[in-house]
Amino acid sequence: MDGLSFSWGKRILTVCVRVLLALSIAFGVILLVYRFENWSSVNCDNPQSVCSQVFSVVQVKYVQGFSILSAAFLYVLESPERIRTRIYEAWQVIDNAAAAKVSTSYARIRALEFLKDYGISLERLNLEKTDLQQINLSQVNLKSANLSSADLRESKFKGANLSYANLVDADISNAVFKGAKFNSANLEGANLDSADLKNANFNAANLRRTNLRGANLENAIFKDADLKGSLYNDNTKFPDSFNPDNYQMYRISANAKLRDANLRDTNLTYANLNGADLTNADLRKADLKGVDLKDAKLAGANLRGADLRDAKLAGAQLKGCLYNEKTKFSQNFTPGNHQMYLISPNANLQDADLAFAHLSGAHLTIANLRDTNLARANLRGSNLSDADLRGANLTSANLRGTNLIRADLRGAYLKGCIYDEKTKFPQNFSMAGFKTYLIAANADLKDANLRYANLRDADLSNANLTNAKINSSDLRNANLSNANLEGANIKNANLNGTNLTNAQNLTEEQIKSAANWDKAIYSEDWLEVLGLPVEE
């Protein structure tokens, strides 16, 4: 109670001081005006004359002007507090919209622009999945802000600081980001179609799978940026001497070479891919509405969950394409007429050629997969319970986390397939009679042939990988801490995010033979040996 009384007393005292100050200033101004008007009769050497002037100002005819001036000066003196109040109210609007989980809020847009106009930092602000179309946040500080899945179409962020910001899957199409800073920002999967990014700084930024079709990237900085799998076309403007091939980017154009390309979840609406080679491309959940695929090669492409409405498919080679019940086609299009494979429960895929197929997470319960070729197929996390796999070829297939409960595996070929502790086999089924590989911590994988294996996110800590063939395998984000890699072949293996802390018997030559070796996680002593920066 004493604290509350003190707070109110302080506020009252502050108001009184401001009122007295405003009255004093107003009185002084009126006095100066009076002296100026009566300059000829003023005797500055006579104190009585000066005093008489002071008192002569206190007259009824000066009350109105005195009141107006006092109010005006009081307004000016209180302006800082009014601004603080408005800033507080703006934050309330933003916080309330976030609490209500409202995606579209005009009041929030105005509040953010107000804070920007007063130079208020928006660092670490959470604007996930918000609709901020046409907002103007130029020069604002949004360092480490969360703008993932935000709608920023036609917005203005000229000179904005978005370092370390999260812009995953954000829609930035037709927006203006001239001179913006994206240092170490995460823009994976973002749509930058036709965005103005001239002079932007993408130093160490993650731009994987971004859509850069039609974007203006003149004079942009891409030092240490990751652009793998990002899309561009003939209208994309790059900095001088920039070569998209050095970043493993995909050119979206007629006759494009996109064989085995990972285009999952990409936005390719109305793109011109006439005559393009998309053989075995991963197009799961891709937006292909209105895309021109006339005469394109799509044999073995994965179209599960893709949207192909209004796509032009005349002359396209679709034999062996995968689709499911969520794939959307144009009316009157019949997948069965093109020898495409339906991936769904109860599907009849007997004798189908699904070698190297991307079937992770597929629902194939009670499916007929008898004598089906699934060699090197990725079945990670798939549901194959009660499936008929008699005589199926599962050589080197990825069965990590696969549900095979009650599946019929009689006569199936399982040599070289990989599985983990989450893989569920039929009751009384044993992998002991097959040359297969358990992917787990402390696993004994000496001399194992894991070439081209998908070991992404695998826990191989403390594993024995002596003389193992892991070349060209996918080891992204895998844990190989304390693993024994003596004599292991890891040439061209993808080490992006791989944990190699305290890995045993590893040589510099081995490490540098791998892809993305500079993006793996090492012990401090190895960072020095490899010439990589040591984190403080």
Side-chain angles (χ1 to χ4, degrees):
M1 192 69 181
D2 291 340
L4 184 62
S5 300
F6 175 78
S7 176
W8 274 104
K10 186 177 179 180
R11 292 186 64 181
I12 292 170
L13 180 61
T14 302
V15 171
C16 290
V17 170
R18 285 179 182 164
V19 171
L20 288 172
L21 188 57
L23 291 171
S24 300
I25 296 173
F27 186 81
V29 170
I30 292 175
L31 181 59
L32 286 173
V33 172
Y34 178 84
R35 291 189 64 180
F36 180 79
E37 291 177 346
N38 300 277
W39 183 258
S40 58
S41 60
V42 172
N43 184 357
C44 295
D45 295 330
N46 186 354
Q48 292 182 347
S49 175
V50 175
C51 290
S52 63
Q53 289 180 59
V54 172
F55 288 109
S56 64
V57 171
V58 185
Q59 297 180 34
V60 174
K61 65 179 180 178
Y62 293 116
V63 170
Q64 184 177 3
F66 181 73
S67 301
I68 294 172
L69 281 174
S70 298
F73 285 120
L74 186 60
Y75 182 84
V76 172
L77 290 170
E78 289 183 341
S79 60
E81 185 169 330
R82 282 197 307 278
I83 292 172
R84 284 194 294 270
T85 301
R86 290 189 62 189
I87 290 172
Y88 174 76
E89 291 172 348
W91 280 118
Q92 277 191 317
V93 170
I94 296 167
D95 291 341
N96 290 339
K101 297 182 179 180
V102 177
S103 60
T104 303
S105 170
Y106 181 78
R108 174 169 49 201
I109 290 176
R110 296 286 77 82
L112 289 166
E113 290 180 331
F114 172 81
L115 294 176
K116 182 266 297 186
D117 291 340
Y118 279 93
I120 306 300
S121 174
L122 302 179
E123 186 173 345
R124 298 183 182 277
L125 184 62
N126 185 5
L127 294 168
E128 182 182 6
K129 296 180 180 179
T130 54
D131 183 352
L132 299 174
Q133 292 183 66
Q134 300 182 337
I135 195 171
N136 185 351
L137 291 178
S138 297
Q139 306 298 329
V140 79
N141 179 18
L142 280 160
K143 184 179 179 181
S144 301
N146 184 3
L147 289 157
S148 58
S149 301
D151 189 344
L152 303 172
R153 287 176 291 172
E154 300 181 2
S155 58
K156 293 181 181 179
F157 283 78
K158 288 190 289 185
N161 183 4
L162 289 150
S163 301
Y164 300 95
N166 182 358
L167 290 148
V168 173
D169 295 326
D171 190 347
I172 310 175
S173 55
N174 297 294
V176 178
F177 280 78
K178 282 183 179 178
K181 297 178 182 178
F182 292 97
N183 305 57
S184 300
N186 188 358
L187 294 111
E188 185 165 352
N191 181 15
L192 300 164
D193 191 342
S194 302
D196 188 348
L197 295 155
K198 190 174 183 180
N199 299 312
N201 189 341
F202 292 101
N203 184 32
N206 179 7
L207 290 155
R208 294 173 71 95
R209 300 190 303 104
T210 53
N211 180 11
L212 296 170
R213 291 186 291 157
N216 184 355
L217 294 160
E218 293 177 319
N219 300 317
I221 299 171
F222 291 102
K223 184 180 178 182
D224 298 321
D226 187 354
L227 288 143
K228 186 177 181 180
S230 56
L231 316 178
Y232 71 100
N233 61 9
D234 295 337
N235 296 321
T236 305
K237 296 179 181 179
F238 289 110
D240 294 337
S241 303
F242 182 91
N243 186 355
D245 293 337
N246 294 339
Y247 292 88
Q248 296 178 277
M249 300 171 68
Y250 295 130
R251 180 173 180 170
I252 305 302
S253 65
N255 302 307
K257 298 177 181 179
L258 297 165
R259 190 184 187 94
D260 297 311
N262 183 2
L263 297 168
R264 184 176 181 177
D265 295 307
T266 53
N267 183 350
L268 292 165
T269 51
Y270 300 100
N272 181 10
L273 288 168
N274 191 319
D277 185 359
L278 288 154
T279 305
N280 294 323
D282 188 353
L283 289 158
R284 281 175 290 175
K285 297 182 180 180
D287 192 344
L288 299 166
K289 289 194 296 289
V291 68
D292 186 351
L293 288 165
K294 291 190 297 240
D295 300 317
K297 299 175 183 177
L298 286 153
N302 194 337
L303 298 170
R304 289 158 54 203
D307 190 344
L308 288 144
R309 288 175 294 179
D310 299 321
K312 300 174 183 177
L313 295 167
Q317 299 175 24
L318 297 164
K319 183 179 179 179
C321 277
L322 312 181
Y323 72 102
N324 60 10
E325 295 165 337
K326 294 183 178 180
T327 306
K328 298 176 183 177
F329 295 103
S330 298
Q331 288 183 343
N332 302 321
F333 180 86
T334 306
N337 295 341
H338 298 271
Q339 295 179 282
M340 298 171 69
Y341 296 131
L342 172 63
I343 306 300
S344 70
N346 298 294
N348 183 8
L349 295 164
Q350 184 171 347
D351 296 315
D353 185 2
L354 296 173
F356 298 94
H358 299 283
L359 292 167
S360 58
H363 294 283
L364 287 163
T365 54
I366 324 177
N368 181 5
L369 293 161
R370 189 169 182 176
D371 298 317
T372 301
N373 184 8
L374 289 160
R376 292 195 180 278
N378 183 4
L379 290 158
R380 184 181 178 185
S382 296
N383 189 351
L384 292 163
S385 57
D386 298 293
D388 185 353
L389 286 157
R390 285 177 291 173
N393 183 3
L394 288 158
T395 304
S396 299
N398 184 355
L399 298 176
R400 292 165 57 203
T402 306
N403 183 357
L404 291 159
I405 291 177
R406 295 183 301 278
D408 192 342
L409 290 164
R410 286 177 293 172
Y413 298 89
L414 293 161
K415 182 180 178 180
C417 72
I418 59 176
Y419 66 103
D420 59 18
E421 295 166 339
K422 294 181 180 179
T423 305
K424 298 177 182 178
F425 290 104
Q427 191 174 10
N428 299 322
F429 182 85
S430 174
M431 294 289 276
F434 304 93
K435 191 176 181 179
T436 56
Y437 303 115
L438 171 64
I439 306 302
N442 303 297
D444 185 1
L445 294 165
K446 183 180 179 180
D447 300 316
N449 184 0
L450 294 167
R451 189 181 182 190
Y452 298 112
N454 184 345
L455 298 168
R456 188 172 183 177
D457 304 314
D459 183 5
L460 287 166
S461 56
N462 299 294
N464 181 9
L465 290 159
T466 303
N467 297 321
K469 296 176 182 178
I470 324 175
N471 44 317
S472 301
S473 62
D474 187 351
L475 285 163
R476 281 178 290 172
N477 300 315
N479 183 6
L480 274 73
S481 60
N482 298 297
N484 186 356
L485 289 157
E486 183 177 3
N489 184 353
I490 60 173
K491 186 177 180 180
N492 296 322
N494 191 343
L495 297 181
N496 194 341
T498 307
N499 186 354
L500 290 167
T501 306
N502 299 319
Q504 306 298 309
N505 302 310
L506 191 60
T507 67
E508 183 178 355
E509 184 181 1
Q510 278 177 293
I511 293 173
K512 291 189 175 180
S513 71
N516 296 315
W517 61 268
D518 55 328
K519 295 176 182 176
I521 302 169
Y522 302 97
S523 304
E524 188 171 319
D525 55 343
W526 264 111
L527 291 174
E528 295 177 357
V529 170
L530 297 169
L532 297 174
V534 179
E535 296 183 5
E536 298 181 359

